Amino acid sequence: MQHQRTPEAATMPEVIFPGPEGRLEGRFQPGPRPRAPVAMILHPHPQGGGTMNNRIVQALYQTFAKRGFATLRFNFRGVGKSQGVFDNGVGELSDAASALDWVQSIHPEAQTTWIAGFSFGAWIGMQLLMRRPEIKGFISIAPPANMYDFTFLAPCPSSGIIIQGEADEVVTPGAVQKLVDKLRTQRHITIHHDTIPGANHFFEHEMPQLMGSVDRYLDMRLSQ
């Protein structure tokens, strides 16, 4: 029996590109023009079942693609068809850097670069922000500020938004608030912070509110 491609699959070509530990698997939506902006989406913790097919990752991917970004989501090492084994964030940061290199090789004239991540992916994304001055905006959903050290954000080089569920049982809202307060003391950047009422870590019933927050922020930033 022939496997039928859904319309969604047709617009999301599967890509395989080189990472530090072998091949990495992703989905890539090329930009509509050479200078299209670039966006990369990072998935939650691989050992908690996180993959690039996480619904928040997919929703972020779709909103950037819809806005004309060259958009990539990919599986960290050891997830799906990506080679290698989980490396506690160290190797995953190298994977993210390689993935961004790959997108930039296709769109070397990109006018701007954004990074978005959920949970563990938000932590990796914010580390990548420190290494890559071309990243001008970030979306950080439920960054695990109570589990990982975020002191590397000194100073945070770009403006962005941090979105948190009010009833998050994994990442304590207080830890995220502390992170936001610390980042807000820095000059030349603006940190937006949205709390979604009633939402748990996975925004189980609050996806419309979550994506509404993302879209309002992107509308505001991209119209500037």
Side-chain angles (χ1 to χ4, degrees), residues 45-63:
H45 207 295
Q47 294 190 316
T51 79
M52 65 172 173
N53 295 325
N54 169 275
R55 67 193 192 119
I56 292 174
V57 170
Q58 292 204 50
L60 289 167
Y61 176 95
Q62 283 156 1
T63 199

Side-chain angles (χ1 to χ4, degrees), residues 85-107:
V85 291
F86 179 68
D87 192 32
N88 294 303
V90 181
E92 286 72 17
L93 178 55
S94 302
D95 293 344
S98 291
L100 190 53
D101 288 343
W102 181 80
V103 181
Q104 288 171 340
S105 72
I106 296 172
H107 284 277

Side-chain angles (χ1 to χ4, degrees), residues 184-203:
R184 281 184 169 162
T185 62
Q186 297 172 18
R187 289 170 163 189
H188 311 303
I189 62 159
T190 307
I191 301 297
H192 282 67
H193 180 211
D194 272 2
T195 301
I196 307 294
N200 67 8
H201 188 63
F202 301 99
F203 298 87

Side-chain angles (χ1 to χ4, degrees), residues 16-25 77 81-84 95 98:
I16 298 283
F17 54 90
E21 286 295 303
R23 295 187 309 273
L24 292 172
E25 169 196 22
R77 57 185 62 197
K81 295 179 192 167
S82 292
Q83 293 177 311
D95 293 344
S98 291

